[in-house]
Amino acid sequence: MKINWGTGIVIAFALFMSFILYFVFEVQSNSKYDNDLVVEEYYKHDTHFQEEMARIQNAHDLQQRPSITYIDNQGVKVVFPAGFENDKIKGNILLYRPSNKKFDFNTAIALTNSSLVIPENKLVKGRWDVNMEWQYNGKKYLTKQVIYVN
């Protein structure tokens, strides 16, 4: 039996579509592949985008900004400039793990000598997105930074 060009192309397309569909069904049905959204209630989160941008701009406009760094054998250290009064700073820090939401956690800002240390034993190696929402003298700020834990 001889196969012409048209039949060969149809067979090739059918095999390719079968191959793609197999992988789509495999990823959707297998529990080892995580298909979660980045943020729960994504659309609700997105409606507050303009407010978030205003808080980021407030933080950017500061002459002296808080610093967020990772220090080996200590953890994540957040340091506020000396000009800020510790008792007037309120807020929380969200450490967000893009690869696995099970590791995400919040920490309230409680400063000691203008700094806060999140211990290394709470952190898994890899990338962390740090979102620090805070307010000082009634003005709201948002500081975002990416850190890598070794």
Side-chain angles (χ1 to χ4, degrees):
M1 178 175 176
K2 190 169 183 169
I3 298 176
N4 65 17
W5 277 94
T7 306
I9 290 173
V10 169
I11 290 172
F13 275 132
L15 288 173
F16 179 72
M17 287 189 304
S18 301
F19 174 74
I20 296 298
L21 286 173
Y22 165 75
F23 280 110
V24 168
F25 288 122
E26 178 68 23
V27 168
Q28 293 299 321
S29 63
N30 197 333
S31 63
K32 76 177 184 178
Y33 299 110
D34 188 14
N35 299 325
D36 291 333
L37 291 173
V38 174
V39 177
E40 293 294 330
E41 299 178 0
Y42 176 77
Y43 293 108
K44 183 179 176 184
H45 180 265
D46 200 36
T47 59
H48 301 290
F49 181 73
Q50 189 61 38
E51 295 170 12
E52 185 175 309
M53 293 308 296
R55 291 183 294 166
I56 289 172
Q57 187 63 45
N58 289 344
H60 184 72
D61 290 343
L62 290 172
Q63 290 181 352
Q64 295 179 324
R65 298 181 195 106
S67 67
I68 302 170
T69 55
Y70 172 72
I71 301 172
D72 284 333
N73 300 324
Q74 279 189 335
V76 175
K77 188 170 187 177
V78 179
V79 179
F80 281 85
F84 288 98
E85 297 176 32
N86 292 347
D87 57 338
K88 291 186 179 181
I89 298 172
K90 306 277 186 249
N92 66 359
I93 300 171
L94 169 67
L95 279 96
Y96 168 74
R97 181 68 184 221
S99 63
N100 192 341
K101 73 177 180 179
K102 294 174 189 162
F103 296 121
D104 297 355
F105 65 93
N106 270 317
T107 301
I109 296 176
L111 299 177
T112 306
N113 297 331
S114 297
S115 67
L116 167 74
V117 176
I118 299 169
E120 188 176 37
N121 61 4
K122 287 187 169 185
L123 304 170
V124 178
K125 291 183 180 184
R127 177 188 166 149
W128 287 89
D129 291 349
V130 181
N131 294 341
M132 183 170 64
E133 295 182 14
W134 54 287
Q135 59 182 346
Y136 183 72
N137 287 335
K139 194 168 185 180
K140 295 182 179 182
Y141 301 92
L142 176 61
T143 305
K144 292 185 173 190
Q145 191 166 336
V146 175
I147 58 167
Y148 293 92
V149 175
N150 298 331

